[in-house]
């Protein structure tokens, strides 16, 4: 407290001003919220000795309340400020993670950056495989407006020490005044840049790029700007990596798809060639085989008496082998014909189809004492009658063939209707199949028994599978060795 300013020899500029205004008494009370000096409350009066000790008490009381109020307002302002930044960072994070397209990520990055750190121009550069920084996205450069041209710009790091420093230190670099930065590279497009901030984009601790922010005003960027730019850089680097990975996965998927398509086409061609080959070979073998078996049968029948026992044995073997070969050729022709014919799709009542097959098998059923039960509620399926006949004639024939010795075959047919398709089951009480052969038995020539044990060519189930697939269905088996098997055929419903 000063009773009379005019009695003092030296005065601070503020007191000099008060004195000049005719003030004589002066009192200054510190503003100390929580003990920290943030300013003073100054009171002045025209008369010397105007302030009394009780005035000091009142001023101190007011100063204490004022200090708390000022501190509260400052904190509120700081909180609002921080909240605005947090909201912007949050919004940036959302828009950066919403897209997997690299261009959109980089555009969003520069948009959000502008809300946090006011810049006159900015650009994002990404590190290339040959260790250059290639410009990807820009803002605010008058001469860099064509995106296609921008992508062709890249910086050689040895000629740009500021970029190299960011890359090597992996830390942001703030250049308050570019005219004073040694080695600053003058680029015509960036002549306006006086204040420069370079921030590394770090993914897994590796620099994947840099973004630079420019100001025409020297010393514009503050430490807070650096901090905010770094916070956004961390989010952006993750989004950039995700976008790159996504692009990589898509590239791989497309490559894979192309390779699968090429391979499928090759396989289809090879398959067609193979089918054509086996068809023509089987077809051409028929005529000479017919001659062999025809003459063998004539010898066996007409000249049997002229042969000794050994000769009769040999001729019987020739007749039997040529019959087996004829069956094999018929089956091969049936199999290769499958791939050559067009598939009809018409409603086929399974009831009638299976009844006809059972009729065809009547002699074998009677001879083996089999029980073949065809239910009378079988559905109508969508398919080709010839293919359907191939499927069920083979399955029922096998069910009678692969019987246990001395156990009369029991063959049951059942059907389940499911959305869009039906599953027809053919079950037997025969010898069964070990699980390791469930898939293999559907391959051509895959037999589990010798010709002596059970006759066959090993083509029947391959015909079944191919026919089912041509009809848009599939076939599989479940079995218990020594108890029986159930073949299940899935077919489209009418
Ligand atoms: P094939 O009957 O002419 O040998 P398939 O392709 O019809 O040829 O059958 C392949 C093999 O699958 C048969 O050799 C047999 O070992 C086995 N198999 C097929 N059906 C049955 C069945 N119902 N029970 C047991 N084994 C079977």
């Amino acid at each position: 407290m000063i009773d009379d300013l005019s009695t003092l020899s030296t005065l601070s500029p503020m007191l000099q001003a008060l004195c000049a205004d005719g003030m004589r008494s002066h009192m200054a009370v510190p503003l100390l919220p929580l003990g920290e000096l943030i300013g003073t409350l100054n009171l002045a009066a025209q008369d010397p000795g105007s302030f009394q000790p009780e005035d000091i008490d009142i001023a101190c009381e007011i100063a204490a309340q004022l200090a708390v109020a000022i501190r509260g307002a400052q904190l509120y302002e700081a909180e609002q400020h921080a909240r605005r930044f947090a909201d912007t960072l949050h919004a940036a994070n959302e828009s950066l993670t919403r897209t997997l397209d690299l261009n959109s990520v980089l555009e969003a990055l520069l948009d959000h950056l502008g809300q946090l750190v006011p810049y006159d121009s900015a650009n994002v550069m990404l590190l290339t495989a040959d260790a250059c920084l290639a410009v990807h996205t820009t803002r605010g450069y008058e001469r860099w407006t064509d995106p296609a041209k921008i992508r062709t710009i890249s910086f050689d790091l040895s000629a740009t020490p500021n970029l190299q420093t960011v890359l090597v230190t992996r830390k942001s670099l703030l250049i308050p005044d570019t005219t004073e930065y040694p080695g600053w590279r003058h680029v015509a497009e960036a002549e306006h840049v006086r204040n420069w901030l370079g921030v590394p984009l770090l993914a897994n601790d590796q620099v994947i790029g840099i973004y630079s922010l420019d100001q025409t005003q020297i010393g514009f960027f503050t430490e807070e700007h650096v901090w905010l730019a770094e916070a956004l850089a961390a989010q952006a680097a993750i989004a950039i990596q995700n976008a790159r990975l996504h692009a990589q996965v898509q590239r791989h998927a497309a490559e894979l798809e192309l390779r699968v398509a090429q391979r499928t086409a090759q396989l289809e061609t090879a398959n067609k060639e193979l089918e054509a080959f086996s068809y023509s070979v089987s077809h051409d073998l028929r005529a000479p085989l017919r001659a062999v078996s025809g003459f063998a049968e004539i010898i066996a029948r007409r000249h049997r008496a002229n042969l000794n026992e050994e000769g009769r044995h040999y001729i019987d073997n020739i007749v039997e082998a040529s019959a087996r070969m004829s069956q094999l050729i018929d089956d091969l022709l049936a199999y290769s014909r499958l791939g050559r014919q067009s598939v009809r799709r018409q409603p086929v009542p399974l009831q009638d189809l299976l009844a006809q097959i059972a009729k065809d098998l009547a002699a074998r059923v009677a001879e083996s004492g089999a029980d073949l039960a065809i239910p009378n509620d079988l559905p109508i399926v969508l398919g080709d009658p010839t293919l359907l006949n191939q499927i069920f004639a083979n399955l029922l024939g096998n069910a009678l063939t692969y019987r246990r010795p001395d156990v009369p075959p029991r063959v049951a047919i059942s059907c389940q209707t499911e959305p869009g398709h039906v599953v027809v089951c053919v079950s037997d009480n025969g010898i069964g199949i070990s699980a390791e052969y469930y898939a293999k038995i559907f391959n051509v020539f895959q037999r589990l028994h010798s010709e002596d044990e059970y006759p066959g060519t090993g083509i029947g189930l391959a015909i079944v599978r191919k026919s089912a697939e041509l009809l848009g269905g599939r076939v599989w088996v479940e079995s218990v060795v020594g108890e029986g098997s159930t073949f299940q055929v899935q077919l489209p419903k009418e």
Side-chain angles (χ1 to χ4, degrees), residues 335 395 437-444 446 458-459 461-466 475-477 487-488:
Y335 181 73
L395 291 181
Y437 297 113
Y438 284 0
K440 286 187 187 151
I441 52 169
F442 291 98
N443 294 337
V444 182
Q446 183 69 54
I459 299 174
L461 288 180
I463 290 179
V464 171
R465 182 174 68 178
K466 198 162 182 188
V475 59
W476 66 99
V477 68
F487 284 83
Q488 306 191 42

Side-chain angles (χ1 to χ4, degrees), residues 402 441 443 445-451 454-459:
Y402 298 102
I441 52 169
N443 294 337
F445 299 135
Q446 183 69 54
R447 304 205 69 227
L448 306 181
H449 306 96
S450 70
E451 182 70 24
Y454 294 97
T457 58
I459 299 174

Side-chain angles (χ1 to χ4, degrees), residues 5 32 58 127 182 192 216 229 260 269 326 398 433 442 447 451 458 476:
L5 291 169
L32 292 163
I58 293 170
L127 209 57
H192 60 284
T216 50
V260 168
T269 315
S326 166
N398 281 352
I433 300 159
F442 291 98
R447 304 205 69 227
E451 182 70 24
W476 66 99

Side-chain angles (χ1 to χ4, degrees), residues 318-379:
I318 294 173
V319 170
E320 202 180 297
S322 48
R324 268 211 314 277
M325 194 166 167
S326 166
Q327 183 62 51
L328 188 64
I329 287 173
D330 284 351
D331 285 358
L332 264 178
L333 279 174
Y335 181 73
S336 50
R337 218 176 269 133
L338 285 178
R340 303 157 66 86
Q341 284 171 350
S342 57
V343 178
R344 282 179 290 162
R345 270 175 209 283
Q346 64 187 67
V348 180
L350 275 185
Q351 192 70 52
D352 300 348
L353 187 103
L354 283 163
Q356 183 56 48
I357 295 171
K359 222 173 176 182
D360 297 343
L361 290 170
R364 286 184 61 192
V365 170
E367 176 197 319
S368 58
D371 175 14
L372 172 57
I374 309 234
N376 49 19
D377 57 351
L378 291 175

